[in-house]
Amino acid sequence: MTMIERVETGLIHRNPKPHLRSEQAYFPSVARYPDGEMVAAFGVGSAFESVDAHTRLARSFDGGRSWATEAPLYEERDDPPTSWNVRISLMPEGELVAVGARWDRSRTEMGLVNSETFGFVPTELILLRSEDRGHTWQGPYVIEPPLEGPSFEVCHPVKPLRDGRWLWPTATWTGWDGYSPNGMKAIVLVSHDRGDTWPEYVDVMDGTDDDIVYWEQKVVELDGSRLMAVCWTHDRSRDEDLPVHFAISEDYGRSFGPPKSTGLRGQTTTPLYLGHGRVLSIYRRTDHAGLWADLSSVDGETWVSEAEAPLWGADGRQSDRRQEGMSLSEEMSSLRFGLPLALKLPDGHIFVAFWCVEDCISVIRWFRLAIHE
């Protein structure tokens, strides 16, 4: 019988002086170098959508068991006030690349989302580069997207492909006033010159005609020239989540097939391909409390679960279930955990990191998992 075991756990970052200041941590991404050094990036702010939100780094030299927090990637301007967040990934040549967004926070007493229109604050896409493992950075450089969002979701780092293309999974998002020229759909931006320009995009999942939106897209490589995207799927007309959906690309990300249900009831799912048609998914469940791991067999048509295990919050004490009368934007602003990541380690363990609220402080927690057949 296949089992998923939680081997170890610990923290990447927690506010070291909560008695002096509010410092909440969110949205981690992690890169691992061939010699074992690991770099984590995560958002830090005084609140979930605070105007002072920015991205910091932490570093580990012992397989992710202990971490030292470092300074922000860069010092942001404050006229007009902006907040920003990026995700990092390691390129094959050794360059560390950070991509994300800078948000106009001129409405200092408002959050990121307009509760009346479900529109996002004005968004500027940015990219930074580091040749020395994140100790110094060049940028931020402003990215000109190939379509009008007018806003875009920050949910994934750059994904380099073997043919030299870079893909950046994201989603279009309605502007603050409700303007949405291309609908809300999951896409990948495409660069042919290592991130200098992004002249193309590919539709991944588009449910605009059915008022279905696909959020928190994650993309993994399968065997050969196949890619797979998974998305948190929400029916806006009924104001309810559908099962997580996936879509397969048979031509290495140049097009994607129709979305299909995984059967997983959840949000913000991160898949890790283990080979031989098997995928480990880390996701926030909506039919049960907490963050869970699911091991499934996947082909182009079906998704069959083989094993599952709770990782965090399954006792319900940290529940972020939607309360009666709460709008979707209010629900998003009151989440208590999410955005997991997963990567394989040389010792066979799987490293998982995510953000969660513990003792009223949002922290970045990690797990080491083992899969037993």
Side-chain angles (χ1 to χ4, degrees), residues 93-111:
E93 303 82 6
E95 181 183 38
L96 196 62
V97 172
V99 291
R102 171 194 282 146
W103 296 296
D104 184 336
R105 306 305 300 276
S106 300
R107 300 176 179 88
T108 55
E109 294 302 309
M110 303 289 285

Side-chain angles (χ1 to χ4, degrees), residues 32-47:
R32 183 186 181 279
Y33 286 88
D35 63 5
E37 181 179 348
M38 298 172 70
V39 180
F42 49 90
V44 172
S46 56

Side-chain angles (χ1 to χ4, degrees), residues 11-14 23 25-33 36-44 54-73 86 88 96 132-135 137 341 351 353 363-366:
L11 294 176
I12 292 178
H13 180 81
R14 183 184 188 276
E23 183 180 285
Y26 307 96
F27 314 134
S29 54
V30 174
R32 183 186 181 279
Y33 286 88
E37 181 179 348
M38 298 172 70
V39 180
F42 49 90
V44 172
H54 59 279
T55 301
R56 290 188 197 169
L57 295 182
R59 200 171 301 270
S60 174
F61 297 96
D62 59 3
R65 291 181 172 88
S66 63
W67 294 82
T69 300
E70 300 175 351
L73 278 71
V86 295
I88 60 171
L96 196 62
D132 59 4
R133 303 194 177 205
H135 293 287
W137 293 85
L341 63 90
F351 184 85
V363 304
I364 309 298
R365 177 165 291 282
W366 61 264

Side-chain angles (χ1 to χ4, degrees), residues 11-329:
L11 294 176
I12 292 178
H13 180 81
R14 183 184 188 276
N15 182 0
K17 296 183 177 181
H19 60 294
L20 291 180
R21 58 182 175 268
S22 175
E23 183 180 285
Q24 312 297 327
Y26 307 96
F27 314 134
S29 54
V30 174
R32 183 186 181 279
Y33 286 88
D35 63 5
E37 181 179 348
M38 298 172 70
V39 180
F42 49 90
V44 172
S46 56
F48 189 50
E49 297 182 18
S50 61
V51 178
D52 63 358
H54 59 279
T55 301
R56 290 188 197 169
L57 295 182
R59 200 171 301 270
S60 174
F61 297 96
D62 59 3
R65 291 181 172 88
S66 63
W67 294 82
T69 300
E70 300 175 351
L73 278 71
Y74 74 97
E75 294 299 325
E76 180 59 292
R77 65 178 188 237
D78 56 9
D79 184 23
T82 56
S83 59
W84 57 280
N85 188 248
V86 295
R87 309 281 189 270
I88 60 171
S89 53
L90 180 62
M91 300 297 105
E93 303 82 6
E95 181 183 38
L96 196 62
V97 172
V99 291
R102 171 194 282 146
W103 296 296
D104 184 336
R105 306 305 300 276
S106 300
R107 300 176 179 88
T108 55
E109 294 302 309
M110 303 289 285
L112 292 171
V113 178
N114 185 337
S115 60
E116 296 181 0
T117 66
F118 202 61
F120 220 78
V121 297
T123 300
E124 192 173 53
L125 301 181
I126 58 174
L127 181 147
L128 299 97
R129 304 175 186 271
S130 175
E131 299 289 351
D132 59 4
R133 303 194 177 205
H135 293 287
T136 61
W137 293 85
Q138 297 79 50
Y141 306 106
V142 175
I143 292 175
E144 295 295 336
L147 78 167
E148 189 174 6
S151 295
F152 294 87
E153 186 181 31
V154 178
C155 56
H156 201 296
V158 164
K159 184 169 188 59
L161 300 182
R162 297 187 304 272
D163 61 9
R165 286 176 299 144
W166 287 8
L167 303 185
W168 185 8
T170 182
T172 55
W173 200 293
T174 304
W176 186 262
D177 60 359
Y179 178 56
S180 183
N182 293 293
M184 294 181 66
K185 59 184 179 180
I187 63 173
V188 290
L189 303 183
V190 183
S191 175
H192 298 274
D193 54 12
R194 301 181 65 250
D196 287 341
T197 61
W198 299 83
E200 301 174 18
Y201 74 95
V202 177
D203 286 337
V204 178
M205 301 187 202
D206 184 359
T208 303
D209 292 343
D210 298 316
D211 210 15
I212 292 174
V213 291
Y214 298 98
W215 288 315
E216 292 288 346
Q217 179 189 182
K218 304 296 186 298
V219 174
V220 293
E221 291 192 58
L222 304 179
D223 298 318
S225 60
R226 304 172 77 223
L227 302 179
M228 182 181 71
V230 299
C231 286
W232 166 4
T233 305
H234 185 81
D235 186 330
R236 293 192 68 187
S237 63
R238 295 188 294 176
D239 194 22
E240 66 180 26
D241 287 340
L242 303 178
V244 175
H245 277 56
F246 73 108
I248 300 292
S249 171
E250 302 285 356
D251 56 6
Y252 212 35
R254 293 175 175 84
S255 65
F256 284 81
K260 301 179 184 298
S261 173
T262 66
L264 302 178
R265 292 283 178 178
Q267 304 170 342
T268 188
T269 301
T270 294
L272 179 67
Y273 187 57
L274 303 179
H276 307 290
R278 305 176 86 199
V279 174
L280 179 71
S281 298
I282 313 297
Y283 71 113
R284 183 173 63 230
R285 288 186 72 162
T286 53
D287 58 342
H288 295 283
L291 189 80
W292 287 66
D294 173 90
L295 182 65
S296 295
S297 296
V298 181
D299 61 25
E301 298 294 330
T302 61
W303 183 296
V304 180
S305 181
E306 300 177 359
E308 62 180 18
L311 301 182
W312 181 93
D315 56 10
R317 287 180 294 178
Q318 296 89 2
S319 175
D320 59 2
R321 299 291 182 87
R322 189 172 184 177
Q323 299 175 15
E324 185 176 354
M326 180 182 287
S327 70
L328 184 57
S329 61

Side-chain angles (χ1 to χ4, degrees), residues 2-10 38 63-65 270-272 274 279-283 291-295 307-312 340-354 365-373:
T2 302
M3 294 182 60
I4 303 169
E5 179 190 7
R6 296 175 295 175
V7 179
E8 298 176 73
T9 190
M38 298 172 70
R65 291 181 172 88
T270 294
L272 179 67
L274 303 179
V279 174
L280 179 71
S281 298
I282 313 297
Y283 71 113
L291 189 80
W292 287 66
D294 173 90
L295 182 65
E308 62 180 18
L311 301 182
W312 181 93
L341 63 90
L343 55 87
K344 289 182 281 190
L345 298 176
D347 62 5
H349 287 165
I350 294 161
F351 184 85
V352 171
F354 63 105
R365 177 165 291 282
W366 61 264
F367 279 99
R368 274 178 170 251
L369 307 181
I371 297 176
H372 303 289
E373 303 292 347

